[in-house]
Amino acid sequence: MLLHMAEIDGPVTSESLAGMMQTNPVVIRRILAGLRKQGLVHSEKGHGGGWRLAKDLETVTLYDIHIALGSPGVLALGHRTEAPGCLVEQAVNNAMGEAFDAAEALLLSRFREITLASLSRDFHQRMQHCGNPGH
Amino acid sequence: MLLHMAEIDGPVTSESLAGMMQTNPVVIRRILAGLRKQGLVHSEKGHGGGWRLAKDLETVTLYDIHIALGSPGVLALGHRTEAPGCLVEQAVNNAMGEAFDAAEALLLSRFREITLASLSRDFHQRMQHCGNPGH
DNA sequence: TTTCATGTAACTTAAAATATTACATGAAAG
DNA sequence: CTTTCATGTAATATTTTAAGTTACATGAAA
């Protein structure tokens, strides 16, 4: 969504973003409210209002966005009980926990290395290769 | 559940396993049916029947169990669309996909290194340290 | 032939994610 | 200043998914 906003100059309304993303404007506003709290976007009410990027694409990584979205859990797998009394379960949690932590750390470290600018460059390259205009 | 079964000699009924896991016997049977298909457990009907481990703990890894459970998705994050027409989304999917793949590969490779035997050893060590009998 | 256990389909319930409605707030246009 | 347009947000509804339950068939031992 941020990359789409980057292609448009001037503010973009949640309604038009909702059109692009095939969802409801309120869903867009809820998401962007989180991003605004982290200073990634900026919003204006009223006539001519809407949403605008607040940062240079070069300075925003997928990790920043992940944080702004509330650091949602990255793994679909997890412990059955967080602090089990059962000693079997404790052993399992301990072993699996290390694997989970390693996987999550790797994913987030990759996210830290992906900037919106690099994604934007990739997008523009794709634009060149196929004749397809519009995004 | 398999580790609990390892502590008991003789077959264990889905009802008693359901008691341990605080769930319904049918849920247990459904899960164990998958494990049986991979040869991890063995079941017997009728009087004195129940479930039994079919393999040595040393030869079973968390990865084997993961496969037997149907290789459920490991990540909570994913692509919005698998094969999007939108070029922005293609660029995003491409970059995130590499990160996803790396994280999943790492997690599964860790799973391959965790045997039930190692978990069982850890469990028995925990038994020693605290005075708590029973599992 | 009774009892007990698995095997499985069909159904129900519960939880979570997602979407919608409704209305308040604020800013620009006329 | 009042109409229009857009965000802000609470409350509600819908959808999807996972988990649990019921019901009954199958098969084995007592």
Side-chain angles (χ1 to χ4, degrees):
Chain A
M1 211 155 63
L2 298 182
L3 290 170
H4 277 284
M5 287 166 65
E7 297 299 314
I8 301 167
D9 54 306
V12 189
T13 66
S14 57
E15 190 170 344
S16 87
L17 287 169
M20 297 176 195
M21 306 301 287
Q22 313 211 55
T23 182
N24 191 288
V26 175
V27 173
I28 301 293
R29 282 180 225 150
R30 276 203 289 248
I31 293 170
L32 288 181
L35 302 200
R36 184 184 47 210
K37 208 174 296 177
Q38 297 294 316
L40 299 185
V41 298
H42 179 256
S43 70
E44 282 168 78
K45 286 182 173 178
H47 232 107
W51 300 87
R52 206 190 289 268
L53 290 179
K55 286 198 161 191
D56 189 288
L57 295 185
E58 208 70 62
T59 71
V60 180
T61 69
L62 290 187
Y63 180 74
D64 298 324
I65 297 171
H66 181 258
I67 298 295
L69 292 175
S71 308
V74 152
L75 298 177
L77 274 40
H79 299 325
R80 212 179 125 83
T81 313
E82 215 48 53
C86 170
L87 294 177
V88 170
E89 203 173 340
Q90 284 178 23
V92 172
N93 279 7
N94 180 63
M96 292 212 309
E98 287 176 18
F100 291 160
D101 290 349
E104 174 161 343
L106 176 58
L107 182 56
L108 294 182
S109 83
R110 293 293 189 100
F111 274 13
R112 264 190 283 264
E113 282 160 13
I114 302 171
T115 64
L116 288 184
S118 71
L119 293 175
S120 180
R121 278 190 291 274
D122 187 5
F123 158 60
H124 280 108
Q125 217 158 31
R126 287 167 196 269
M127 281 274 276
Q128 298 256 313
H129 287 309
C130 80
N132 189 0
H135 29 98
Chain B
M1 210 153 63
L2 298 183
L3 290 170
H4 277 283
M5 287 166 66
E7 297 299 315
I8 300 166
D9 54 305
V12 190
T13 66
S14 57
E15 188 170 345
S16 87
L17 288 169
M20 298 177 193
M21 306 301 287
Q22 313 209 55
T23 183
N24 192 289
V26 176
V27 174
I28 302 292
R29 281 179 227 152
R30 275 204 290 245
I31 293 170
L32 289 182
L35 301 200
R36 185 186 44 212
K37 207 173 298 176
Q38 297 294 316
L40 300 185
V41 298
H42 178 255
S43 70
E44 283 168 78
K45 287 182 174 177
H47 232 108
W51 301 87
R52 206 189 290 268
L53 289 179
K55 287 198 160 191
D56 189 288
L57 295 185
E58 209 71 61
T59 70
V60 181
T61 69
L62 291 188
Y63 180 75
D64 297 324
I65 297 171
H66 181 257
I67 298 296
L69 292 174
S71 308
V74 152
L75 298 177
L77 275 40
H79 299 326
R80 214 179 124 82
T81 314
E82 216 49 53
C86 171
L87 294 178
V88 169
E89 203 172 341
Q90 285 179 20
V92 171
N93 279 8
N94 180 63
M96 294 213 308
E98 287 177 18
F100 290 159
D101 291 349
E104 176 160 342
L106 176 58
L107 182 55
L108 294 182
S109 83
R110 293 293 190 102
F111 274 13
R112 264 189 285 263
E113 283 161 13
I114 302 172
T115 64
L116 288 184
S118 71
L119 293 175
S120 180
R121 279 191 290 274
D122 187 6
F123 157 61
H124 280 107
Q125 217 158 31
R126 286 167 195 269
M127 281 273 277
Q128 297 255 313
H129 286 311
C130 79
N132 189 0
H135 26 103

